[in-house]
Amino acid sequence: MTIGIWILGDQLSFHHPALQELTMERDQISIILIESMAYAQKRPYHRQKLVLVWSAMRHFARELGQEGWQVTYEIAPEFSSALTNWQQTYSITELWIMEPGDRPFIQFINQLNLTCSIHWLPNNLFLWKESEFTQWAQGRKRLLLEDFYREGRKRFNVLMKEGKPIGGQWNLDKQNRKPPKKGLISPPVLWFPPDPTTQGVITHVHNHFPHGYGEVDTFRWAVTRPQARRVLSHFLETHLPDFGPYQDAMVTGEDTLWHSLLSPYLNLGLLHPMEVIQAVQEEYNKRQLNLNSVEGFIRQILGWREYMRGLYMYETKRDPNYTQHNWFNHNQPLPHWFWTGITDLNCLHQTLEQIHRTGYAHHIQRLMLLSNFNLILGTSPQSVVDWFHAVFIDAYDWVMQTNVIGMGLFADGGLLASKPYAASANYINKMSNYCGGCVYNPKARTGEGACPFNFLYWDFLARHRQKLQSQGRLNLILSQLDRIPPEELAMMQKQSDAYRLNHLGLPNVVI
Ligand code: FAD
Ligand code: SF4
């Protein structure tokens, strides 16, 4: 039996289980990494995402070679022929693959009709194994993030002292919702000028995707593990101490605020979640940092990231139709200007322009602007997922589905979130400075100049009143809805209908 290892593009880790388990001499083991043009053309991607993944793969392959492994790197029209040629060249009879994070890719591999057998290895890029999450989830009435997070703190002994949470409380989120004060400026971000390998990939992407989505010449992301480690160190040094307070704020011209920008590297395997958590804990002990910032950050990785991934594996196994959920029966096409960023809604214009330029938006921009707008507008959840998949540098099926279908759009009817994250301009005006530079009035609900977030929000609540009532947690808001004079509500509903027709009735743009 001759074993070969296929390392996938988002598994760029020296702790890959195949590299750990095989005990033969390194130059006796064949490894392949493949860039498939057909796969890259299957759906639109931000061009910086293509550069990031391909450049990181090329760097990783080179590092493996320098460490003595026998590596084949294929830039191929598609996966199947590249695999077959390699199998024949090296007489490979068994192919070792770490389980992909994304379910569709597992199916894709199974349909490749390979002539050798596949040996699946467990995915070790997360803290919780799929079976452990299932064990935790089974028999629970609700799969609440807070319960899961507490279990994670205990299980991995993170921010714990003598079995209790350090500081006495599990969650300090209440201290982390400050609106931005005037002139708020965050520390500089660590970026990297593209090296010759990355420049080569940029040219390759330019040539093959001349009209693809997203600027590509502005690419400045890290592409190797040492660079990703430097981003982590820079974050610990300059951003972590104040990560908490303005976590939910949005500021014009401040793309990243105190956020870490680590998701692209965690999702590629260049960093492991546990090394990030340990580094943060060490920093906390060394520098006596504010607990609300440290706990707030750890909750993102130990809590949200693992929870979203666990739920994805759990729910899509129980119900392969999870990704098609559409609880509100929303069928509006995605506004065409989500691709161009040309809109007079300043909050969305600023955010869409930023994504086009960088492939990045922070959590509140994703949740309370992009998802929220599509939720209250009534956009089809699957077209929103497709758009998120296309425009973000860190997008993968495993992290997208539960975040967009579950958290952002409540399309799963509350399997994940206890209420929809719907909000009017009031929230955006409080948590950002976008409204000051906008043609719309965040306080007006009807008439010329009324902010679309307002009439769409009340229209959404009125349209789905019955369904929302069953959720229980929206009673206060629904009682506010009931106090709106019927004529005003009717005007908002009319204005919402007209808005959908006049502004959005164009065909969906597919790149
Ligand atoms: P920070 O604010 O610095 O947070 C630290 C880390 O915590 C992140 O790097 C990420 O790994 C993790 N994290 C925090 N929240 C989540 C979450 N809800 N799910 C998973 N990980 C989380 N994250 C992605 O990695 N890819 C996506 O495609 C993606 N799409 C999203 C879509 C929607 C609608 C929403 C609401 C969230 C989405 N997220 C996604 C989660 C989160 O917004 C991003 O992980 C985060 O903004 C990345 O920026 P950062 O590294 O600066 O994050
Ligand atoms: Fe966005 Fe409305 Fe504020 Fe304009 S007024 S920035 S559209 S919330």
Side-chain angles (χ1 to χ4, degrees), residues 343-350 369 373 424-429 432-444 449-454 499:
T343 170
D344 54 9
L345 286 89
N346 190 41
C347 50
L348 287 173
H349 167 68
Q350 297 292 340
L369 292 180
F373 185 76
S424 68
N426 200 19
Y427 177 86
I428 300 164
N429 195 21
S432 80
N433 66 358
Y434 294 135
C435 299
C438 188
V439 294
Y440 294 108
N441 177 357
K443 303 234 183 288
C451 171
F453 274 94
N454 288 339
Y499 187 83

PDB file of all heavy atoms in Angstrom, residues 343-350 369 373 424-429 432-444 449-454 499, ligand 2:
ATOM      1  N   THR A 343     -25.237  53.262  -3.317  1.00  0.00           N
ATOM      2  CA  THR A 343     -26.530  53.456  -2.666  1.00  0.00           C
ATOM      3  C   THR A 343     -26.468  54.730  -1.825  1.00  0.00           C
ATOM      4  O   THR A 343     -25.392  55.118  -1.372  1.00  0.00           O
ATOM      5  CB  THR A 343     -26.882  52.259  -1.753  1.00  0.00           C
ATOM      6  OG1 THR A 343     -28.024  52.610  -0.965  1.00  0.00           O
ATOM      7  CG2 THR A 343     -25.760  51.885  -0.801  1.00  0.00           C
ATOM      8  N   ASP A 344     -27.626  55.351  -1.639  1.00  0.00           N
ATOM      9  CA  ASP A 344     -27.618  56.568  -0.823  1.00  0.00           C
ATOM     10  C   ASP A 344     -27.833  56.262   0.672  1.00  0.00           C
ATOM     11  O   ASP A 344     -27.887  57.167   1.495  1.00  0.00           O
ATOM     12  CB  ASP A 344     -28.647  57.591  -1.341  1.00  0.00           C
ATOM     13  CG  ASP A 344     -30.043  57.010  -1.458  1.00  0.00           C
ATOM     14  OD1 ASP A 344     -30.256  55.873  -0.988  1.00  0.00           O
ATOM     15  OD2 ASP A 344     -30.923  57.682  -2.022  1.00  0.00           O
ATOM     16  N   LEU A 345     -27.938  54.998   1.038  1.00  0.00           N
ATOM     17  CA  LEU A 345     -27.958  54.671   2.477  1.00  0.00           C
ATOM     18  C   LEU A 345     -26.504  54.688   2.948  1.00  0.00           C
ATOM     19  O   LEU A 345     -25.729  53.772   2.616  1.00  0.00           O
ATOM     20  CB  LEU A 345     -28.569  53.284   2.712  1.00  0.00           C
ATOM     21  CG  LEU A 345     -30.093  53.166   2.561  1.00  0.00           C
ATOM     22  CD1 LEU A 345     -30.458  52.846   1.124  1.00  0.00           C
ATOM     23  CD2 LEU A 345     -30.653  52.103   3.484  1.00  0.00           C
ATOM     24  N   ASN A 346     -26.133  55.709   3.654  1.00  0.00           N
ATOM     25  CA  ASN A 346     -24.692  55.909   3.936  1.00  0.00           C
ATOM     26  C   ASN A 346     -24.066  54.751   4.712  1.00  0.00           C
ATOM     27  O   ASN A 346     -22.942  54.345   4.431  1.00  0.00           O
ATOM     28  CB  ASN A 346     -24.484  57.226   4.686  1.00  0.00           C
ATOM     29  CG  ASN A 346     -23.011  57.562   4.772  1.00  0.00           C
ATOM     30  OD1 ASN A 346     -22.260  57.375   3.808  1.00  0.00           O
ATOM     31  ND2 ASN A 346     -22.565  58.028   5.936  1.00  0.00           N
ATOM     32  N   CYS A 347     -24.785  54.201   5.694  1.00  0.00           N
ATOM     33  CA  CYS A 347     -24.207  53.105   6.487  1.00  0.00           C
ATOM     34  C   CYS A 347     -23.856  51.921   5.586  1.00  0.00           C
ATOM     35  O   CYS A 347     -22.780  51.322   5.702  1.00  0.00           O
ATOM     36  CB  CYS A 347     -25.172  52.670   7.591  1.00  0.00           C
ATOM     37  SG  CYS A 347     -26.842  52.349   7.009  1.00  0.00           S
ATOM     38  N   LEU A 348     -24.755  51.608   4.649  1.00  0.00           N
ATOM     39  CA  LEU A 348     -24.494  50.472   3.769  1.00  0.00           C
ATOM     40  C   LEU A 348     -23.461  50.838   2.705  1.00  0.00           C
ATOM     41  O   LEU A 348     -22.592  50.025   2.366  1.00  0.00           O
ATOM     42  CB  LEU A 348     -25.803  49.996   3.130  1.00  0.00           C
ATOM     43  CG  LEU A 348     -26.725  49.264   4.116  1.00  0.00           C
ATOM     44  CD1 LEU A 348     -28.081  48.958   3.494  1.00  0.00           C
ATOM     45  CD2 LEU A 348     -26.087  47.961   4.602  1.00  0.00           C
ATOM     46  N   HIS A 349     -23.521  52.059   2.223  1.00  0.00           N
ATOM     47  CA  HIS A 349     -22.516  52.486   1.234  1.00  0.00           C
ATOM     48  C   HIS A 349     -21.102  52.355   1.812  1.00  0.00           C
ATOM     49  O   HIS A 349     -20.212  51.790   1.181  1.00  0.00           O
ATOM     50  CB  HIS A 349     -22.793  53.936   0.815  1.00  0.00           C
ATOM     51  CG  HIS A 349     -21.666  54.546   0.057  1.00  0.00           C
ATOM     52  ND1 HIS A 349     -21.303  54.126  -1.208  1.00  0.00           N
ATOM     53  CD2 HIS A 349     -20.770  55.505   0.409  1.00  0.00           C
ATOM     54  CE1 HIS A 349     -20.249  54.804  -1.613  1.00  0.00           C
ATOM     55  NE2 HIS A 349     -19.892  55.641  -0.651  1.00  0.00           N
ATOM     56  N   GLN A 350     -20.916  52.880   3.045  1.00  0.00           N
ATOM     57  CA  GLN A 350     -19.582  52.833   3.671  1.00  0.00           C
ATOM     58  C   GLN A 350     -19.120  51.385   3.853  1.00  0.00           C
ATOM     59  O   GLN A 350     -17.972  51.042   3.586  1.00  0.00           O
ATOM     60  CB  GLN A 350     -19.595  53.514   5.047  1.00  0.00           C
ATOM     61  CG  GLN A 350     -19.913  55.003   5.023  1.00  0.00           C
ATOM     62  CD  GLN A 350     -18.827  55.832   4.363  1.00  0.00           C
ATOM     63  OE1 GLN A 350     -17.682  55.404   4.241  1.00  0.00           O
ATOM     64  NE2 GLN A 350     -19.179  57.026   3.917  1.00  0.00           N
ATOM     65  N   LEU A 369     -26.066  45.650  10.114  1.00  0.00           N
ATOM     66  CA  LEU A 369     -26.299  46.408   8.878  1.00  0.00           C
ATOM     67  C   LEU A 369     -26.690  45.462   7.739  1.00  0.00           C
ATOM     68  O   LEU A 369     -27.798  45.499   7.240  1.00  0.00           O
ATOM     69  CB  LEU A 369     -25.039  47.185   8.473  1.00  0.00           C
ATOM     70  CG  LEU A 369     -24.622  48.334   9.383  1.00  0.00           C
ATOM     71  CD1 LEU A 369     -23.360  49.007   8.849  1.00  0.00           C
ATOM     72  CD2 LEU A 369     -25.733  49.368   9.496  1.00  0.00           C
ATOM     73  N   PHE A 373     -30.584  44.570   7.275  1.00  0.00           N
ATOM     74  CA  PHE A 373     -31.274  45.207   6.156  1.00  0.00           C
ATOM     75  C   PHE A 373     -32.005  44.155   5.310  1.00  0.00           C
ATOM     76  O   PHE A 373     -33.165  44.327   4.937  1.00  0.00           O
ATOM     77  CB  PHE A 373     -30.281  45.997   5.293  1.00  0.00           C
ATOM     78  CG  PHE A 373     -30.952  46.773   4.194  1.00  0.00           C
ATOM     79  CD1 PHE A 373     -31.637  47.946   4.469  1.00  0.00           C
ATOM     80  CD2 PHE A 373     -30.932  46.319   2.888  1.00  0.00           C
ATOM     81  CE1 PHE A 373     -32.284  48.652   3.461  1.00  0.00           C
ATOM     82  CE2 PHE A 373     -31.573  47.010   1.869  1.00  0.00           C
ATOM     83  CZ  PHE A 373     -32.245  48.180   2.155  1.00  0.00           C
ATOM     84  N   SER A 424     -34.077  49.145  13.862  1.00  0.00           N
ATOM     85  CA  SER A 424     -34.364  50.332  13.048  1.00  0.00           C
ATOM     86  C   SER A 424     -33.127  51.229  13.024  1.00  0.00           C
ATOM     87  O   SER A 424     -32.084  50.888  13.604  1.00  0.00           O
ATOM     88  CB  SER A 424     -35.543  51.086  13.660  1.00  0.00           C
ATOM     89  OG  SER A 424     -35.127  51.627  14.900  1.00  0.00           O
ATOM     90  N   ALA A 425     -33.271  52.402  12.426  1.00  0.00           N
ATOM     91  CA  ALA A 425     -32.158  53.363  12.354  1.00  0.00           C
ATOM     92  C   ALA A 425     -31.720  53.827  13.741  1.00  0.00           C
ATOM     93  O   ALA A 425     -30.584  54.285  13.920  1.00  0.00           O
ATOM     94  CB  ALA A 425     -32.565  54.561  11.516  1.00  0.00           C
ATOM     95  N   ASN A 426     -32.598  53.726  14.698  1.00  0.00           N
ATOM     96  CA  ASN A 426     -32.284  54.124  16.069  1.00  0.00           C
ATOM     97  C   ASN A 426     -30.981  53.462  16.554  1.00  0.00           C
ATOM     98  O   ASN A 426     -30.090  54.111  17.105  1.00  0.00           O
ATOM     99  CB  ASN A 426     -33.468  53.687  16.936  1.00  0.00           C
ATOM    100  CG  ASN A 426     -33.499  54.447  18.222  1.00  0.00           C
ATOM    101  OD1 ASN A 426     -32.886  55.505  18.312  1.00  0.00           O
ATOM    102  ND2 ASN A 426     -34.184  53.897  19.218  1.00  0.00           N
ATOM    103  N   TYR A 427     -30.893  52.160  16.344  1.00  0.00           N
ATOM    104  CA  TYR A 427     -29.696  51.411  16.774  1.00  0.00           C
ATOM    105  C   TYR A 427     -28.472  51.892  16.000  1.00  0.00           C
ATOM    106  O   TYR A 427     -27.413  52.153  16.577  1.00  0.00           O
ATOM    107  CB  TYR A 427     -29.906  49.901  16.542  1.00  0.00           C
ATOM    108  CG  TYR A 427     -28.675  49.090  16.893  1.00  0.00           C
ATOM    109  CD1 TYR A 427     -28.441  48.656  18.191  1.00  0.00           C
ATOM    110  CD2 TYR A 427     -27.705  48.803  15.924  1.00  0.00           C
ATOM    111  CE1 TYR A 427     -27.288  47.939  18.510  1.00  0.00           C
ATOM    112  CE2 TYR A 427     -26.553  48.086  16.234  1.00  0.00           C
ATOM    113  CZ  TYR A 427     -26.350  47.659  17.525  1.00  0.00           C
ATOM    114  OH  TYR A 427     -25.205  46.962  17.855  1.00  0.00           O
ATOM    115  N   ILE A 428     -28.599  52.026  14.694  1.00  0.00           N
ATOM    116  CA  ILE A 428     -27.443  52.398  13.857  1.00  0.00           C
ATOM    117  C   ILE A 428     -26.985  53.805  14.209  1.00  0.00           C
ATOM    118  O   ILE A 428     -25.783  54.082  14.307  1.00  0.00           O
ATOM    119  CB  ILE A 428     -27.814  52.281  12.356  1.00  0.00           C
ATOM    120  CG1 ILE A 428     -28.213  50.827  12.045  1.00  0.00           C
ATOM    121  CG2 ILE A 428     -26.661  52.725  11.451  1.00  0.00           C
ATOM    122  CD1 ILE A 428     -28.950  50.645  10.748  1.00  0.00           C
ATOM    123  N   ASN A 429     -27.936  54.683  14.454  1.00  0.00           N
ATOM    124  CA  ASN A 429     -27.598  56.063  14.820  1.00  0.00           C
ATOM    125  C   ASN A 429     -26.878  56.107  16.170  1.00  0.00           C
ATOM    126  O   ASN A 429     -25.948  56.881  16.377  1.00  0.00           O
ATOM    127  CB  ASN A 429     -28.895  56.888  14.884  1.00  0.00           C
ATOM    128  CG  ASN A 429     -28.603  58.376  14.886  1.00  0.00           C
ATOM    129  OD1 ASN A 429     -27.531  58.809  14.461  1.00  0.00           O
ATOM    130  ND2 ASN A 429     -29.554  59.161  15.370  1.00  0.00           N
ATOM    131  N   SER A 432     -23.148  54.193  15.644  1.00  0.00           N
ATOM    132  CA  SER A 432     -22.216  54.585  14.581  1.00  0.00           C
ATOM    133  C   SER A 432     -22.273  56.084  14.373  1.00  0.00           C
ATOM    134  O   SER A 432     -23.114  56.777  14.946  1.00  0.00           O
ATOM    135  CB  SER A 432     -22.607  53.901  13.270  1.00  0.00           C
ATOM    136  OG  SER A 432     -23.684  54.592  12.645  1.00  0.00           O
ATOM    137  N   ASN A 433     -21.385  56.579  13.493  1.00  0.00           N
ATOM    138  CA  ASN A 433     -21.505  57.982  13.074  1.00  0.00           C
ATOM    139  C   ASN A 433     -21.915  58.077  11.610  1.00  0.00           C
ATOM    140  O   ASN A 433     -21.684  59.090  10.967  1.00  0.00           O
ATOM    141  CB  ASN A 433     -20.186  58.731  13.331  1.00  0.00           C
ATOM    142  CG  ASN A 433     -19.048  58.223  12.454  1.00  0.00           C
ATOM    143  OD1 ASN A 433     -19.235  57.284  11.689  1.00  0.00           O
ATOM    144  ND2 ASN A 433     -17.880  58.826  12.562  1.00  0.00           N
ATOM    145  N   TYR A 434     -22.512  57.009  11.088  1.00  0.00           N
ATOM    146  CA  TYR A 434     -22.888  57.006   9.676  1.00  0.00           C
ATOM    147  C   TYR A 434     -24.034  57.987   9.381  1.00  0.00           C
ATOM    148  O   TYR A 434     -24.080  58.586   8.318  1.00  0.00           O
ATOM    149  CB  TYR A 434     -23.349  55.610   9.242  1.00  0.00           C
ATOM    150  CG  TYR A 434     -22.278  54.534   9.253  1.00  0.00           C
ATOM    151  CD1 TYR A 434     -22.535  53.270   9.800  1.00  0.00           C
ATOM    152  CD2 TYR A 434     -21.021  54.764   8.701  1.00  0.00           C
ATOM    153  CE1 TYR A 434     -21.565  52.267   9.784  1.00  0.00           C
ATOM    154  CE2 TYR A 434     -20.046  53.764   8.700  1.00  0.00           C
ATOM    155  CZ  TYR A 434     -20.331  52.516   9.246  1.00  0.00           C
ATOM    156  OH  TYR A 434     -19.371  51.531   9.240  1.00  0.00           O
ATOM    157  N   CYS A 435     -24.958  58.110  10.322  1.00  0.00           N
ATOM    158  CA  CYS A 435     -26.186  58.851  10.015  1.00  0.00           C
ATOM    159  C   CYS A 435     -25.911  60.341   9.787  1.00  0.00           C
ATOM    160  O   CYS A 435     -26.615  60.986   8.999  1.00  0.00           O
ATOM    161  CB  CYS A 435     -27.223  58.665  11.124  1.00  0.00           C
ATOM    162  SG  CYS A 435     -27.687  56.939  11.332  1.00  0.00           S
ATOM    163  N   GLY A 436     -24.864  60.850  10.442  1.00  0.00           N
ATOM    164  CA  GLY A 436     -24.508  62.267  10.285  1.00  0.00           C
ATOM    165  C   GLY A 436     -24.219  62.614   8.834  1.00  0.00           C
ATOM    166  O   GLY A 436     -24.451  63.748   8.416  1.00  0.00           O
ATOM    167  N   GLY A 437     -23.731  61.662   8.059  1.00  0.00           N
ATOM    168  CA  GLY A 437     -23.369  61.952   6.668  1.00  0.00           C
ATOM    169  C   GLY A 437     -24.358  61.355   5.681  1.00  0.00           C
ATOM    170  O   GLY A 437     -23.976  61.027   4.558  1.00  0.00           O
ATOM    171  N   CYS A 438     -25.607  61.221   6.095  1.00  0.00           N
ATOM    172  CA  CYS A 438     -26.571  60.501   5.240  1.00  0.00           C
ATOM    173  C   CYS A 438     -27.689  61.428   4.761  1.00  0.00           C
ATOM    174  O   CYS A 438     -28.069  62.366   5.469  1.00  0.00           O
ATOM    175  CB  CYS A 438     -27.178  59.346   6.046  1.00  0.00           C
ATOM    176  SG  CYS A 438     -28.201  58.255   5.046  1.00  0.00           S
ATOM    177  N   VAL A 439     -28.217  61.157   3.565  1.00  0.00           N
ATOM    178  CA  VAL A 439     -29.330  61.967   3.060  1.00  0.00           C
ATOM    179  C   VAL A 439     -30.628  61.656   3.811  1.00  0.00           C
ATOM    180  O   VAL A 439     -31.563  62.446   3.786  1.00  0.00           O
ATOM    181  CB  VAL A 439     -29.573  61.734   1.544  1.00  0.00           C
ATOM    182  CG1 VAL A 439     -28.401  62.220   0.727  1.00  0.00           C
ATOM    183  CG2 VAL A 439     -29.860  60.267   1.248  1.00  0.00           C
ATOM    184  N   TYR A 440     -30.674  60.506   4.478  1.00  0.00           N
ATOM    185  CA  TYR A 440     -31.900  60.134   5.194  1.00  0.00           C
ATOM    186  C   TYR A 440     -31.867  60.617   6.640  1.00  0.00           C
ATOM    187  O   TYR A 440     -30.797  60.852   7.209  1.00  0.00           O
ATOM    188  CB  TYR A 440     -32.097  58.612   5.165  1.00  0.00           C
ATOM    189  CG  TYR A 440     -32.359  58.087   3.782  1.00  0.00           C
ATOM    190  CD1 TYR A 440     -31.394  57.360   3.099  1.00  0.00           C
ATOM    191  CD2 TYR A 440     -33.582  58.339   3.157  1.00  0.00           C
ATOM    192  CE1 TYR A 440     -31.633  56.883   1.814  1.00  0.00           C
ATOM    193  CE2 TYR A 440     -33.826  57.863   1.869  1.00  0.00           C
ATOM    194  CZ  TYR A 440     -32.846  57.147   1.210  1.00  0.00           C
ATOM    195  OH  TYR A 440     -33.087  56.687  -0.061  1.00  0.00           O
ATOM    196  N   ASN A 441     -33.069  60.718   7.185  1.00  0.00           N
ATOM    197  CA  ASN A 441     -33.212  61.167   8.570  1.00  0.00           C
ATOM    198  C   ASN A 441     -33.479  59.942   9.455  1.00  0.00           C
ATOM    199  O   ASN A 441     -34.519  59.297   9.328  1.00  0.00           O
ATOM    200  CB  ASN A 441     -34.388  62.156   8.635  1.00  0.00           C
ATOM    201  CG  ASN A 441     -34.664  62.622  10.046  1.00  0.00           C
ATOM    202  OD1 ASN A 441     -34.014  62.170  11.002  1.00  0.00           O
ATOM    203  ND2 ASN A 441     -35.624  63.521  10.190  1.00  0.00           N
ATOM    204  N   PRO A 442     -32.533  59.629  10.357  1.00  0.00           N
ATOM    205  CA  PRO A 442     -32.716  58.407  11.153  1.00  0.00           C
ATOM    206  C   PRO A 442     -33.901  58.476  12.112  1.00  0.00           C
ATOM    207  O   PRO A 442     -34.341  57.448  12.630  1.00  0.00           O
ATOM    208  CB  PRO A 442     -31.395  58.308  11.936  1.00  0.00           C
ATOM    209  CG  PRO A 442     -30.851  59.690  11.972  1.00  0.00           C
ATOM    210  CD  PRO A 442     -31.308  60.359  10.706  1.00  0.00           C
ATOM    211  N   LYS A 443     -34.427  59.681  12.333  1.00  0.00           N
ATOM    212  CA  LYS A 443     -35.546  59.796  13.286  1.00  0.00           C
ATOM    213  C   LYS A 443     -36.900  59.711  12.573  1.00  0.00           C
ATOM    214  O   LYS A 443     -37.924  59.508  13.207  1.00  0.00           O
ATOM    215  CB  LYS A 443     -35.456  61.128  14.024  1.00  0.00           C
ATOM    216  CG  LYS A 443     -34.144  61.356  14.757  1.00  0.00           C
ATOM    217  CD  LYS A 443     -34.386  61.682  16.219  1.00  0.00           C
ATOM    218  CE  LYS A 443     -33.116  61.993  16.967  1.00  0.00           C
ATOM    219  NZ  LYS A 443     -32.236  60.880  17.231  1.00  0.00           N
ATOM    220  N   ALA A 444     -36.890  59.893  11.233  1.00  0.00           N
ATOM    221  CA  ALA A 444     -38.175  59.917  10.505  1.00  0.00           C
ATOM    222  C   ALA A 444     -38.582  58.517  10.075  1.00  0.00           C
ATOM    223  O   ALA A 444     -37.768  57.745   9.573  1.00  0.00           O
ATOM    224  CB  ALA A 444     -38.057  60.838   9.296  1.00  0.00           C
ATOM    225  N   GLY A 449     -37.404  61.481   2.888  1.00  0.00           N
ATOM    226  CA  GLY A 449     -36.253  61.587   3.796  1.00  0.00           C
ATOM    227  C   GLY A 449     -36.306  60.603   4.952  1.00  0.00           C
ATOM    228  O   GLY A 449     -35.350  60.493   5.716  1.00  0.00           O
ATOM    229  N   ALA A 450     -37.402  59.862   5.074  1.00  0.00           N
ATOM    230  CA  ALA A 450     -37.464  58.860   6.164  1.00  0.00           C
ATOM    231  C   ALA A 450     -36.448  57.758   5.888  1.00  0.00           C
ATOM    232  O   ALA A 450     -36.292  57.316   4.750  1.00  0.00           O
ATOM    233  CB  ALA A 450     -38.867  58.269   6.248  1.00  0.00           C
ATOM    234  N   CYS A 451     -35.751  57.326   6.941  1.00  0.00           N
ATOM    235  CA  CYS A 451     -34.737  56.289   6.751  1.00  0.00           C
ATOM    236  C   CYS A 451     -35.414  54.958   6.422  1.00  0.00           C
ATOM    237  O   CYS A 451     -36.301  54.495   7.158  1.00  0.00           O
ATOM    238  CB  CYS A 451     -33.911  56.150   8.026  1.00  0.00           C
ATOM    239  SG  CYS A 451     -32.829  54.721   7.921  1.00  0.00           S
ATOM    240  N   PRO A 452     -34.985  54.297   5.334  1.00  0.00           N
ATOM    241  CA  PRO A 452     -35.587  53.006   4.970  1.00  0.00           C
ATOM    242  C   PRO A 452     -35.496  51.966   6.093  1.00  0.00           C
ATOM    243  O   PRO A 452     -36.359  51.090   6.194  1.00  0.00           O
ATOM    244  CB  PRO A 452     -34.776  52.571   3.748  1.00  0.00           C
ATOM    245  CG  PRO A 452     -34.284  53.850   3.149  1.00  0.00           C
ATOM    246  CD  PRO A 452     -34.031  54.766   4.311  1.00  0.00           C
ATOM    247  N   PHE A 453     -34.452  52.036   6.921  1.00  0.00           N
ATOM    248  CA  PHE A 453     -34.372  51.078   8.034  1.00  0.00           C
ATOM    249  C   PHE A 453     -35.589  51.218   8.951  1.00  0.00           C
ATOM    250  O   PHE A 453     -35.968  50.249   9.615  1.00  0.00           O
ATOM    251  CB  PHE A 453     -33.094  51.306   8.860  1.00  0.00           C
ATOM    252  CG  PHE A 453     -31.884  50.575   8.313  1.00  0.00           C
ATOM    253  CD1 PHE A 453     -31.015  51.217   7.445  1.00  0.00           C
ATOM    254  CD2 PHE A 453     -31.623  49.263   8.665  1.00  0.00           C
ATOM    255  CE1 PHE A 453     -29.896  50.551   6.943  1.00  0.00           C
ATOM    256  CE2 PHE A 453     -30.512  48.581   8.165  1.00  0.00           C
ATOM    257  CZ  PHE A 453     -29.645  49.231   7.295  1.00  0.00           C
ATOM    258  N   ASN A 454     -36.200  52.420   8.999  1.00  0.00           N
ATOM    259  CA  ASN A 454     -37.335  52.626   9.905  1.00  0.00           C
ATOM    260  C   ASN A 454     -38.617  52.013   9.360  1.00  0.00           C
ATOM    261  O   ASN A 454     -39.235  51.165   9.991  1.00  0.00           O
ATOM    262  CB  ASN A 454     -37.533  54.116  10.172  1.00  0.00           C
ATOM    263  CG  ASN A 454     -36.441  54.662  11.068  1.00  0.00           C
ATOM    264  OD1 ASN A 454     -35.787  53.892  11.786  1.00  0.00           O
ATOM    265  ND2 ASN A 454     -36.217  55.960  11.031  1.00  0.00           N
ATOM    266  N   TYR A 499     -40.787  51.103  -1.835  1.00  0.00           N
ATOM    267  CA  TYR A 499     -39.311  51.041  -1.794  1.00  0.00           C
ATOM    268  C   TYR A 499     -38.821  49.767  -2.471  1.00  0.00           C
ATOM    269  O   TYR A 499     -37.897  49.786  -3.277  1.00  0.00           O
ATOM    270  CB  TYR A 499     -38.852  51.083  -0.331  1.00  0.00           C
ATOM    271  CG  TYR A 499     -37.345  51.199  -0.207  1.00  0.00           C
ATOM    272  CD1 TYR A 499     -36.720  52.434  -0.293  1.00  0.00           C
ATOM    273  CD2 TYR A 499     -36.563  50.063  -0.027  1.00  0.00           C
ATOM    274  CE1 TYR A 499     -35.333  52.540  -0.210  1.00  0.00           C
ATOM    275  CE2 TYR A 499     -35.188  50.161   0.072  1.00  0.00           C
ATOM    276  CZ  TYR A 499     -34.574  51.391  -0.021  1.00  0.00           C
ATOM    277  OH  TYR A 499     -33.217  51.488   0.058  1.00  0.00           O
TER     278      TYR A 499
HETATM  279 FE1  SF4 B   2     -28.216  54.246   7.541  1.00  0.00          FE
HETATM  280 FE2  SF4 B   2     -30.622  55.390   7.905  1.00  0.00          FE
HETATM  281 FE3  SF4 B   2     -28.508  56.240   9.284  1.00  0.00          FE
HETATM  282 FE4  SF4 B   2     -28.707  56.716   6.667  1.00  0.00          FE
HETATM  283  S1  SF4 B   2     -30.041  57.483   8.286  1.00  0.00           S
HETATM  284  S2  SF4 B   2     -26.887  56.021   7.757  1.00  0.00           S
HETATM  285  S3  SF4 B   2     -29.670  54.848   5.949  1.00  0.00           S
HETATM  286  S4  SF4 B   2     -29.447  54.226   9.408  1.00  0.00           S
END
